[in-house]
Structures are given as structure tokens and as C-alpha cells.
Amino acid sequence: MTPAWESALDANRRSAVLFVARDVAVRTTDRARITRSMPAARRQSRHPESVHWNPYGLAGGDAGIALMCSYFDQCLSGEGWDAVGHGFLTEGVTALENGGSGHAGLFAGLGGFAFAVESSSRNGDRYQRALATVDELLAPQARKLAGRLGAAEHGLPVSAFDVVSGASGVAAYLLRRDPLGALPDVLTALVRLAEPCRGTPRWATPPDLLLSESTRRAYPTGQLNCGLAHGIPGPLAVLSLALQSGYEVSGQREAVRALAQWLLSRRIEDAWGCGWPDAVPLTPAGRPARDRACGPTRGAWCYGTPGVARSLWLAGRALDDGGLGHAAVEAMSSVLRRPAELRHLTSPTYCHGVAGLLQIVLRFARDTPSETLAQASTALVDELLAAYEPQRPFGYASREAADVAVDRADLLDGAAGVAMTLLAAATGTEPAWDRMFLLS
């Protein structure tokens, strides 16, 4: 039986965390502050094209702030967070009515907006019309996405199957609500990724379909992405979560087994234990390279060992395979043995920073209670408290390479995600919102 969610923090830390989390939430729900911050954030960032606000966006927009408010309302009822979140959802509805999202993606499309509405609906008791509308829009797009993915023979952009834009993210929402029955089509398409394809995994990405010029330079003959955000751990996690929830299509268990074993075969070892590279290069012939040399392993949600470890844990639970669970726990232990400066986390934020690692540690600590994990979660909370900068617009700044600070309010790369994770560490209310990150 899974233990109840509870905080491992002492009373003084809980008090400090609640103060900071409330302050950040007040700032990130200040519409005028958000509006003022956007031009400044684009000037601050080394990647200004990535700084934008999407009214129906879950990762970077109103839907994400509404999701934060929903969790704050669950944890701190009676403080008015529900009403604040309603205002942000309304902005998303208006944007969709005015010809909004043309894609199903979880982080910036219909799937994510549906996720935020469902999370705020109190088990479907509210927002029924909005839920029905978005489900009717999403279902045909989800089936179209599944059809394209299932028909592909080999060579795929990660956006076809990942959690951010692809089928894994859409399935994460459909596991929560699927009144029009689109989930089986999406699961079937994801299962097909695990089928052998002339020695090259079907989900391999050739160089012309890689996301950026820098990635193409790093992987001139293509790659197999190993990150939870964009790689094969995403399909593995969501297929495993589906099995645990009673949703199964033909070949699903075999696919979970095959993908988990592929990831285990790509482990690398160093002085601290095992880990995974961001990606495995393809040879000029299109086969996975056997050379395991790579740079230091990150300790983030998006790329690196923590996200892979969580996907393997979920696979172990789905298949009742203790060996996979043990491998996942050992991988997380290697992350926590690694000195903080060698985890290569430069930002307090969620995607590639400390908050994402903390949320994964909290999940493992709930599933496999241990003093080591409790101590690790406390240390990461202390790290986030130390990173709090009340003089900044949102209390936390995203830290890019070369310690470039960018003031962002959003959930994925901004202060809202830090506030939600701090609240998860300090309260006894389970953070069901981390399904969007395929952690539960």
C-alpha cells in the first residue's frame, strides 16, 4: 500500500517554506507584474525567442498559473487562490475562443489547457462546459497525432512522441479524463515505437529532424534522445502509468519491458554510480553507437539520471519487476551521492534546475521511504530557500548558462514551478499536478 503524502520538514522549515511559497505565488499571479516582466526577460535571456506568454499554455502561460492556484487552494484552502486561478483560466478560454491552439501538445497546446481545467474542476464538479468543449477539440487532434506517429516507419522528430509536444504528453492528460475514447489510439501509437526496425529503434531522430542547429552539430548523424522531457523515457513512463491505471492495449507490456531494457543497456558508470547521457549518437549507418563516452551526467528532470530513474521506477511498478525498481533507486542514489556542484543544476527552477530534482526526490521518498531520501529532500529545500531573492520581481530567477538571471513567472522555467514544489515539500497534500511531468 502506498504511504500517504507527508512532509519530512521540521516546523521551522515548513514555516519558512510556506512564507516563501505564498510570496512567490502572490507575485506570479500579479498580472501587471507579469506583463512588465516579459520585455525585460527577453532582454535578459540569451535565448529571447524562448521567452513568451501563452494564454492557454501550461508550461509558460495562464493555464500554468491556474494550475499553481489550484494546488495552493488544495493546500491552503480559504485564502482565495481558487478565485485567482479562475481568472487565469478565463484568459485561456478567451484565447481559445478567439482561434487559439492548433495542436494537442501538453505544455503549450490543448492538452495542457485541458489538464489545467480538469485540475481546477474538483473532480469534474465545476467547469463542465469548458471541459466538454476542450475535450471535443482535443480528441480529433489526439487521434491525428496518434495516426501520424503510428504510420511513421523510422526517423521521428521528438515532438511526435515526447511529453512536451507529442503523444506522451497528450496521453498524460487522457489518463485523467478521456470521455471520447482517444486514449487507446495514442497508447497504440506509442507501443509501436518499441517495435524493432531494421536494427535502428523506430524513435531514432535523424539529423534533419533535430530540434536545433547546436544539436545537429553535436549529433551530425542523428541521435536517440534519453531525456524525460524529449526522449524515450517519456513514452516509457506514460505507458507504465497507463498499465498501473488499468489502461492496456495490445503489446503494451512488451513495449514497457523493451524500452526499459534499452535504457538499462545504455547506463554509464562513473565514480558516483550509474547515469545516462542526454542522448545516444547514431552511426553514419543509422545504428546506435556503442561508444559510451559522454560528458558529465546532469541531475535534472528534463535530461539526466533523475528523470530516467523515475521512468524505470514506474515501469517496475507496472510490471511488478523488483529488478527495475532496484535499478531506479540505485540510479537516484548515484545522483544524491554526487556533490551538488557536479549535478550541473545552475537554476532553482523546475525544468533543468533544483525544483525538478526535488520533486523527483519527493516522489521516491514517498514510494521508498528512507532516511537518505528524507535528508536529500531537506537539503534541496534548503538550497531553494537560499536561492530566494525577494528583491527580484518573482522571488526566483531562472539561471541560464554563465549565470545569466532571467525573471520569469511561469511554471516550467520560472518562479511558479518553484513555489509549487516547495509547497509539495511542506504540506500533506499530494501534488497530483506532477503528472504533467510524468512523475506520478
Side-chain angles (χ1 to χ4, degrees):
M1 185 175 180
T2 304
W5 190 269
E6 60 182 10
S7 174
L9 303 181
D10 59 50
N12 288 336
R13 279 192 177 88
R14 281 200 300 274
S15 178
V17 165
L18 290 174
F19 173 83
V20 170
R22 280 190 179 98
D23 179 61
V24 171
V26 167
R27 295 168 185 238
T28 56
T29 53
D30 182 338
R31 177 73 65 183
R33 189 183 295 250
I34 293 171
T35 301
R36 288 195 305 270
S37 75
M38 295 304 293
R42 293 189 187 101
R43 291 192 298 270
Q44 292 166 334
S45 177
R46 297 162 67 97
H47 310 283
E49 71 285 352
S50 70
V51 181
H52 53 84
W53 193 260
N54 175 355
Y56 41 80
L58 188 60
D62 290 85
I65 301 300
L67 182 65
M68 180 193 72
C69 290
S70 173
Y71 187 54
F72 268 70
D73 184 60
Q74 294 171 47
C75 297
L76 307 170
S77 61
E79 295 189 4
W81 294 107
D82 186 54
V84 176
H86 175 79
F88 281 87
L89 281 182
T90 300
E91 291 292 325
V93 169
T94 300
L96 287 175
E97 289 176 344
N98 291 334
S101 179
H103 68 94
L106 184 67
F107 277 33
L110 275 172
F113 184 68
F115 191 99
V117 176
E118 193 278 334
S119 298
S120 304
S121 71
R122 296 181 180 170
N123 297 316
D125 289 340
R126 306 183 308 165
Y127 300 121
Q128 292 177 1
R129 190 171 74 172
L131 280 170
T133 298
V134 76
D135 284 335
E136 288 176 3
L137 292 169
L138 177 62
Q141 290 195 22
R143 290 192 172 96
K144 185 183 297 184
L145 177 64
R148 290 197 300 267
L149 178 60
E153 286 303 316
H154 59 85
L156 289 167
V158 294
S159 60
F161 60 81
D162 70 9
V163 62
V164 173
S165 304
S168 296
V170 174
Y173 168 69
L174 294 175
L175 283 174
R176 298 178 71 153
R177 179 181 166 88
D178 182 33
L180 301 180
L183 180 61
D185 291 345
V186 179
L187 294 178
T188 298
L190 288 169
V191 163
R192 193 161 186 265
L193 290 177
E195 295 177 359
C197 185
R198 299 195 298 274
T200 302
R202 195 176 299 277
W203 48 277
T205 302
D208 57 306
L209 296 180
L210 292 173
L211 289 173
S212 67
E213 182 58 38
S214 61
T215 308
R216 287 188 285 274
R217 287 196 299 269
Y219 299 94
T221 53
Q223 62 161 226
L224 292 149
N225 195 300
C226 297
L228 181 53
H230 292 296
I232 204 60
L236 174 60
V238 83
L239 289 171
S240 301
L241 287 167
L243 285 175
Q244 292 179 54
S245 300
Y247 296 99
E248 184 172 358
V249 298
S250 178
Q252 189 170 334
R253 290 180 182 273
E254 294 79 5
V256 168
R257 174 74 64 189
L259 295 178
Q261 291 301 322
W262 188 89
L263 282 169
L264 289 176
S265 75
R266 294 295 166 169
R267 282 177 295 189
I268 54 177
E269 301 284 339
D270 64 13
W272 310 104
C274 67
W276 280 266
D278 289 352
V280 172
L282 294 176
T283 67
R287 303 296 178 86
R290 298 309 307 177
D291 181 6
R292 296 188 178 187
C294 71
T297 302
R298 266 194 273 186
W301 167 77
C302 57
Y303 283 98
T305 300
V308 179
R310 190 61 189 172
S311 71
L312 289 172
W313 172 263
L314 294 172
R317 291 287 292 270
L319 300 176
D320 194 22
D321 184 329
L324 287 176
H326 177 77
V329 171
E330 176 53 33
M332 275 308 300
S333 298
S334 76
V335 174
L336 300 178
R337 283 194 293 268
R338 201 176 300 273
E341 62 272 17
L342 296 183
R343 295 174 190 160
H344 303 283
L345 303 181
T346 59
S347 181
T349 48
Y350 197 100
C351 183
H352 50 274
V354 176
L357 175 58
L358 172 58
Q359 188 63 30
I360 295 173
V361 171
L362 291 174
R363 278 292 171 191
F364 271 102
R366 192 272 191 99
D367 293 336
T368 59
S370 74
E371 187 62 28
T372 298
L373 288 167
Q375 290 174 354
S377 63
T378 299
L380 290 167
V381 166
D382 288 346
E383 193 172 342
L384 286 178
L385 289 176
Y388 172 58
E389 299 178 274
Q391 75 278 11
R392 303 202 75 96
F394 301 110
Y396 287 97
S398 175
R399 298 279 172 176
E400 298 180 353
D403 200 31
V404 173
V406 183
D407 294 307
R408 302 181 63 159
D410 58 83
L411 195 163
L412 183 66
D413 289 310
V418 182
M420 293 173 74
T421 307
L422 284 172
L423 203 58
T427 69
T429 303
E430 184 169 2
W433 53 264
D434 67 5
R435 168 63 61 82
M436 74 171 281
F437 297 106
L438 298 184
L439 301 185
S440 67

